[in-house]
Amino acid sequence: EVQILESGGGLVQPGGSLRLSCATSGFTFSMYDMSWVRQAPGKGLEWVSRISGSGGSSYYADSVKGRFTISRDNSKNTLYLQMNSLRAEDTAVYYCARIQGYFDPLWGQGTTVTVSS
Amino acid sequence: IQMTQSPSSLSASVGDGVTITCRASQTISSFLIWYQHKPGKAPKPLIYAASSLQSGVPSRFSGSGSGTDFTLTISGLQPEDFATYYCQQSYSTPFTFGQGTRLEIK
């Protein structure tokens, strides 16, 4: 059975850091690009970042460039998102998703990040 | 790449058929995904590669289009179909989403 499970969300103060994890199973993780997508309260969906299957290439939305870092450990079938210099506008539900070309997409259930003092 | 959905909201009755459109600001071939999103739940992929039905999704959902213009059609609305629908291009990063179409019960 295919599974994607995010963890690591929580409450953090502005300027703080948080690391999200996304554990996967049921598919050959290293074959697929992976992305993070978020939804802020009352807003639409926003793509955040993407990493290639090998981990050699990564891409970011302008809103998080220079503050967030995506990475992966293919030996653990796990995706990460290191979030630094967090702002109130980063408050959102963060989803881990397999989104690549013509392959069927897969999403996790999300983890909530709240940036507030 | 900008993704523009229309309409932004839609009212319909159970049993009706509805169509939602999505237009890309440049060609994206068939790299288009449709999602259904309900409050408190993860977005659910319905259609990928513009017209391929995601496993487990009822056949009343269908997608079409290529290049810049795409449609999602729901035939015979069921009570559980009232939700917000998004399109997303997976042609090039940033993988932009449409602004969403809220489907409400009339």
Side-chain angles (χ1 to χ4, degrees), chain B residues 26-98:
Chain B
Q26 65 186 73
T27 183
I28 57 170
S29 185
S30 296
F31 292 98
L32 194 282
I33 304 168
W34 287 102
Y35 298 93
Q36 177 191 71
H37 197 195
K38 296 181 179 179
K41 296 201 169 185
K44 176 184 177 182
L46 301 172
I47 302 288
Y48 64 98
S51 60
S52 296
L53 191 67
Q54 184 85 350
S55 176
V57 173
S59 58
R60 63 180 179 273
F61 292 92
S62 63
S64 65
S66 67
T68 60
D69 294 308
F70 303 87
T71 60
L72 172 70
T73 299
I74 312 172
S75 304
L77 279 167
Q78 298 299 301
E80 61 269 27
D81 298 339
F82 293 93
T84 299
Y85 292 84
Y86 292 93
C87 62
Q88 181 195 24
Q89 63 85 13
S90 59
Y91 178 77
S92 67
T93 51
F95 286 162
T96 39
F97 290 86

Side-chain angles (χ1 to χ4, degrees), chain A residues 19-97:
Chain A
R19 188 197 199 198
L20 305 183
S21 298
C22 168
T24 73
S25 61
F27 63 98
T28 307
F29 181 68
S30 61
M31 283 184 58
Y32 296 93
D33 296 0
M34 297 293 294
S35 286
W36 289 97
V37 177
R38 68 184 181 183
Q39 185 177 37
K43 304 285 189 178
L45 297 170
E46 179 189 18
W47 173 86
V48 172
S49 183
R50 168 193 172 198
I51 188 168
S52 62
S54 66
S57 299
S58 57
Y59 311 85
Y60 300 92
D62 288 344
S63 57
V64 307
K65 201 173 294 183
R67 300 187 299 122
F68 289 13
T69 302
I70 192 171
S71 62
R72 64 192 298 159
D73 185 337
N74 285 345
S75 69
K76 296 182 178 179
N77 296 330
T78 301
L79 178 73
Y80 303 100
L81 186 68
Q82 178 66 44
M83 304 186 295
N84 297 332
S85 302
L86 282 161
R87 306 167 180 167
E89 55 264 36
D90 296 317
T91 294
V93 178
Y94 285 74
Y95 297 99
C96 170

